Amino acid sequence: MFALVDCNNFYASCERVFRPDLVGKPIVVLSNNDGCVIARSDEAKALGIPMGAPAFKYDRQFKEKNIYVFSSNYALYGDMSNRVMGLLKTFTPEVEVYSIDEAFLKFEGFDKSFDVESYLFKIQKEVTQATGIPISIGLAPTKALSKVANAIAKKFKERTEGVHIIDSEEKRLKALKWMPIEKVWGIGKGNQKRLQVVGVKKALDFTKLSDQWTRKNMSIVGLRLKRDLEGKSSLRLEDDESVKKHIATTRSFDYNYKDYEYIKERVITFAATCGYKLRNQQSCCQAMLVFIRTNRHKKGELPYHGSTVVTFPYPTNSDIELAKFAEQGLRRIFKEGYSYKKAGVMVMELTPEENTQVNLFQNSDARHKPLMKVIDSLNKKIGNTKLKLASQDLERTWKMRQERLSPRYTTRIKEILTIKV
DNA sequence: TCTGGGGTCCTAGGACCC
DNA sequence: TCTGGGGTCCTAGGACCC
């Protein structure tokens, strides 16, 4: 059996853990740059704030409805996520951390006398008690069905108390009959349209299509999903702590920028951040994509999107070398006269740091490796990226709008909660 | 003024091989 | 009249996820 554990309104719940005065109050959390709504408490949902709502359009509503607004605080959410996942791993060795707020747990080999339901309630109770984060759990014979079970646990919270189990054919059919097809895991816009044409409205209708039709119209991915929903497990637990295959750092800017030097600084900083992420997973990269773009929402201005891939003669994870390649890329695509709103760097062709292919003529500067090690450890000690390349802006770290950022309660000693008696 | 960021997997088609 | 039959590898782009 698979259990899907999902943190309820995760970012909003994280904010609430350290602000108990906000229990029962509407909360929203904004994306980077305070752009749009990416998380809402139940109360905010009830007030009609949609997911993805642009913040500037909803400012008035936030005020009028007394909604508490937060900038995203990834230091806090990341740490809270680690706590939840760490606890989940104490209940079963087989855990797949699927996203920052979700995990699949696999349960095998328990006999009929084992009371699964009370075990799930125990998990729920202990996680919430230890972290302050409320969770919902769905249990079923396959991953896709556990997602459905979780949706039911959440939708009918009063009755289920946040835990739902699909362990019989009867329950499976009932669940799929209820589940709207567009809410099914793996059914996006494209598939929904295709399915609508053949009259599929609920998950159950989907499982009644033929394998051939599904394979032809939705590829092997759709077929696996269909089988999973039928109760024939076709999606396995991804248990390897897999290293990433490419790593990206991209940001929208607070304003539009025309100046080459400004964009260059941003792109180099993104490259350095990618370098840090590479070193963290002991990888090097051998290619890098650089892109810059104008504001795609703005009408009347000439749109431009430039992107290029720089291939290196050797694999590296040195900030210095990555910065150099990033600038090479930027020079190819930068055009004068445009107002840029976003830029990004993606490193590709990742290889393990050890046993990199040595090139006969040109190689990564061997001195950089110990240097980066020192930089990383110093930055860890003295705080976020105090030590930078001279080509980066040494004054400011954040060039984002983050006007309503909460303290990093759990990762900075200076920002720890004080309790007044 | 103002609209996020970071991933994965699969497929089709082109280039190339013998 | 008539122009083979397999393969592999790579890339771009699509679809999806949170």
Side-chain angles (χ1 to χ4, degrees):
Chain A
M1 299 287 272
F2 293 91
L4 177 73
V5 177
D6 186 310
C7 300
N8 302 344
N9 315 325
F10 184 53
Y11 297 169
S13 299
C14 287
E15 296 293 347
R16 194 127 74 183
V17 170
F18 297 91
R19 290 284 306 271
D21 58 307
L22 299 186
V23 172
K25 304 263 168 68
I27 297 177
V28 298
V29 178
L30 304 181
S31 64
N32 270 343
N33 238 355
D34 290 349
C36 50
V37 173
I38 52 168
R40 306 158 295 158
S41 71
D42 286 337
E43 298 79 9
K45 286 178 190 168
L47 288 172
I49 306 299
M51 186 68 175
F56 73 94
K57 283 188 186 167
Y58 281 81
D59 256 344
R60 253 186 66 184
Q61 280 204 50
F62 293 157
K63 267 181 210 131
E64 284 169 6
K65 296 178 173 169
N66 293 319
I67 296 172
Y68 291 80
V69 182
F70 292 91
S71 302
S72 19
N73 184 346
Y74 287 105
L76 176 63
Y77 312 150
D79 185 61
M80 293 303 285
S81 173
N82 288 338
R83 294 177 184 208
V84 172
M85 299 308 168
L87 276 166
L88 291 180
K89 285 173 187 164
T90 65
F91 291 96
T92 167
E94 293 193 86
V95 176
E96 173 190 342
V97 177
Y98 179 67
S99 74
I100 195 163
D101 72 331
E102 274 180 55
F104 287 102
L105 278 58
K106 197 172 175 188
F107 293 105
E108 251 174 335
F110 50 80
D111 60 36
K112 279 181 189 137
S113 63
F114 183 76
D115 186 354
V116 202
E117 191 174 20
S118 26
Y119 196 63
L120 297 182
F121 276 117
K122 187 178 163 209
I123 295 176
Q124 186 193 41
K125 193 178 154 201
E126 285 189 20
V127 168
T128 307
Q129 202 160 44
T131 64
I133 302 290
I135 60 172
S136 303
I137 308 179
L139 184 83
T142 70
K143 281 172 104 175
L145 284 172
S146 74
K147 276 275 203 180
V148 177
N150 188 282
I152 291 170
K154 270 195 180 149
K155 183 83 183 179
F156 306 101
K157 211 177 273 173
E158 278 73 39
R159 188 163 54 73
T160 62
E161 292 176 53
V163 172
H164 185 70
I165 297 175
I166 297 176
D167 58 356
S168 69
E169 185 61 6
E170 195 192 337
K171 282 189 185 169
R172 184 182 75 85
L173 293 174
K174 198 176 165 195
L176 295 189
K177 207 171 164 182
W178 166 79
M179 188 76 175
I181 187 66
E182 68 275 11
K183 296 256 172 77
V184 171
W185 183 45
I187 301 295
K189 259 192 195 153
N191 282 330
Q192 193 206 335
K193 252 189 180 166
R194 245 163 279 159
L195 289 168
Q196 205 172 22
V197 175
V198 290
V200 171
K201 291 196 182 77
K202 304 288 181 182
L204 189 63
D205 307 329
F206 173 50
T207 60
K208 286 180 178 160
L209 297 174
S210 74
D211 281 3
Q212 292 88 319
W213 187 93
T214 313
R215 171 70 237 243
K216 198 175 156 218
N217 293 281
M218 298 172 66
S219 87
I220 187 72
V221 184
L223 187 55
R224 276 185 207 138
L225 174 63
K226 182 164 106 71
R227 295 222 174 107
D228 228 49
L229 289 171
E230 286 165 349
K232 306 166 199 156
S233 191
S234 304
L235 304 167
R236 43 163 86 219
L237 199 77
E238 314 274 342
D239 51 356
D240 56 318
E241 287 281 313
S242 55
V243 290
K244 295 196 170 56
K245 293 175 178 154
H246 46 249
I247 292 173
T249 305
T250 72
R251 290 288 179 279
S252 294
F253 307 143
D254 46 358
Y255 298 105
N256 296 325
Y257 292 92
K258 292 191 162 178
D259 179 35
Y260 177 79
E261 290 301 318
Y262 182 88
I263 310 284
K264 183 179 107 180
E265 188 279 333
R266 289 288 76 199
V267 166
I268 285 175
T269 297
F270 299 157
T273 305
C274 285
Y276 173 74
K277 294 177 183 173
L278 281 170
R279 296 192 292 278
N280 248 352
Q281 65 160 40
Q282 279 91 251
S283 295
C284 286
C285 69
Q286 209 156 192
M288 168 193 285
L289 179 142
V290 182
F291 77 84
I292 49 176
R293 69 173 314 147
T294 53
N295 189 344
R296 65 175 206 281
H297 299 288
K298 201 157 184 175
K299 284 170 203 148
E301 242 178 78
L302 237 57
Y304 172 62
H305 178 130
S307 90
T308 185
V309 174
V310 184
T311 310
F312 317 158
Y314 46 80
T316 179
N317 61 16
S318 149
D319 286 357
I320 298 167
E321 286 164 344
L322 292 171
K324 189 180 76 185
F325 293 125
E327 201 195 340
Q328 271 177 28
L330 179 62
R331 253 190 257 125
R332 285 188 209 156
I333 53 175
F334 185 85
K335 287 206 243 172
E336 289 289 346
Y338 289 97
S339 291
Y340 295 100
K341 177 66 176 161
K342 184 172 181 172
V345 167
M346 184 193 282
V347 289
M348 306 177 303
E349 292 178 34
L350 270 51
T351 55
E353 195 171 44
E354 303 308 325
N355 73 52
T356 48
Q357 184 68 45
V358 177
N359 190 303
L360 187 53
F361 304 106
Q362 215 178 351
N363 285 298
S364 179
D365 190 329
R367 297 170 303 176
H368 290 183
K369 200 177 167 183
L371 177 61
M372 290 302 136
K373 210 170 173 178
V374 170
I375 291 180
D376 287 343
S377 71
L378 278 176
N379 274 336
K380 200 171 174 189
K381 217 180 279 174
I382 59 181
N384 229 353
T385 54
K386 278 279 188 302
L387 218 54
K388 300 189 215 182
L389 304 179
S391 47
Q392 295 181 253
D393 189 331
L394 305 179
E395 299 298 318
R396 285 170 65 197
T397 310
W398 290 104
K399 302 205 170 194
M400 268 193 300
R401 210 164 312 185
Q402 271 192 315
E403 285 164 4
R404 306 183 246 207
L405 190 60
S406 50
R408 293 165 289 183
Y409 304 104
T410 63
T411 51
R412 289 277 173 255
I413 194 72
K414 279 185 188 159
E415 299 177 22
I416 200 167
L417 200 65
T418 16
I419 297 171
K420 292 176 187 146
V421 186

